[in-house]
């Protein structure tokens, strides 16, 4: 007795359904992997920005009389700033062995602060980060000790605290904008 199969072609349909399910699973995994890579990149940029801003906070703590010169240098658009008749760059001024900046024959306190600001801005740019200090201190803060707000941004975000600019890091009150790629740190 010969039995005839009535299932001709069913195996091909099962294979096609299995391949479709596999394709959907691979696409889902790929999307998850891309999200993980983006999160890792964001974490790396935040870590770099925080490291740079911590260095800036230490620079203003060691030279509080040069804060205005530091802010001018870091918020400026040039690589050379003239302070007290001397053009200062990121490699100007002879460093002393002291941990506290002191006026030397080559640079005064404001010139040292300017050099520190230009050096920090250069290091940030080498790491694809824009950096600035809010000119009038941190929004919403008060007290005897003026607080400085460092703002670091990357990607298409600017270091501005502005209510109307779409690419600004935060609103004027310091509230982060949705989708902004930036970090704000208070230092005093």
């Amino acid at each position: 007795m010969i039995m005839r199969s009535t299932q001709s072609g069913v195996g091909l349909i099962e294979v096609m359904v299995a391949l479709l399910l596999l394709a959907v699973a691979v696409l889902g995994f790929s999307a998850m992997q891309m999200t993980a890579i983006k999160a890792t990149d964001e974490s790396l940029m935040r870590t770099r920005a925080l490291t740079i801003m911590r260095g800036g906070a230490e620079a203003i703590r060691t030279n509080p009389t040069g804060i205005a010169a530091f802010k001018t240098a870091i918020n400026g658009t040039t690589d050379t700033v003239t302070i007290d008749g001397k053009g200062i760059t990121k490699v100007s001024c002879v460093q002393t062995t002291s941990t506290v900046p002191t006026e030397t024959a080559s640079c005064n306190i404001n010139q040292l602060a300017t050099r520190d600001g230009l050096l920090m801005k250069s290091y940030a740019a080498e790491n694809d980060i824009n950096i600035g200090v809010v000119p009038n201190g941190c929004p919403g803060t008060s007290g005897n000790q003026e607080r400085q707000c460092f703002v670091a941004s990357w990607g298409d975000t600017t270091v501005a605290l502005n209510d109307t600019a779409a690419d600004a890091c935060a609103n004027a009150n310091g509230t982060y904008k949705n989708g902004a790629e930036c970090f704000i740190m208070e230092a005093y």
Side-chain angles (χ1 to χ4, degrees):
M1 171 177 204
I2 298 177
M3 295 189 91
R4 294 195 174 171
S5 173
T6 60
Q7 295 185 351
S8 61
V10 173
L12 181 59
I13 292 173
E14 290 173 351
V15 168
M16 294 299 285
V17 169
L19 285 175
L20 178 65
L21 291 175
L22 181 63
V24 169
V26 168
L27 286 174
F29 179 75
S30 296
M32 183 180 67
Q33 189 69 18
M34 293 304 294
T35 302
I37 288 171
K38 185 177 178 183
T40 300
D41 288 345
E42 178 78 12
S43 176
L44 177 65
M45 293 306 285
R46 284 182 179 274
T47 301
R48 286 180 182 169
L50 185 59
T51 301
I52 293 166
M53 290 189 295
R54 280 184 179 167
E58 289 302 319
I60 65 172
R61 278 189 202 109
T62 58
N63 188 0
T65 48
I67 289 175
F70 181 86
K71 283 175 153 180
T72 300
I74 206 163
N75 290 335
T77 57
T78 63
D79 294 335
T80 303
V81 177
T82 301
I83 299 289
D84 300 328
K86 183 175 182 176
I88 302 295
T89 66
K90 67 179 182 177
V91 295
S92 297
C93 305
V94 176
Q95 289 185 349
T96 63
T97 56
S98 171
T99 57
V100 178
T102 56
E103 192 169 323
T104 66
S106 62
C107 287
N108 63 31
I109 292 295
N110 287 330
Q111 291 167 340
L112 286 169
T114 300
R115 189 264 334 257
D116 290 345
L118 291 172
L119 188 60
M120 183 177 160
K121 185 169 75 169
S122 171
Y123 183 72
E126 289 170 5
N127 285 280
D128 298 322
I129 295 172
N130 302 311
I131 190 123
V133 178
V134 177
N136 300 322
C138 294
T141 61
S142 61
N144 295 335
Q145 194 171 23
E146 181 181 342
R147 295 181 180 135
Q148 307 302 320
C149 261
F150 284 96
V151 181
S153 69
W154 51 93
D156 295 330
T157 305
T158 64
V159 295
L161 302 184
N162 187 319
D163 289 331
T164 58
D167 61 350
C169 174
N171 294 325
N173 65 3
T175 305
Y176 285 100
K177 291 194 172 191
N178 286 337
E181 295 178 311
C182 62
F183 196 69
I184 302 172
M185 184 182 92
E186 187 177 298
Y188 53 94

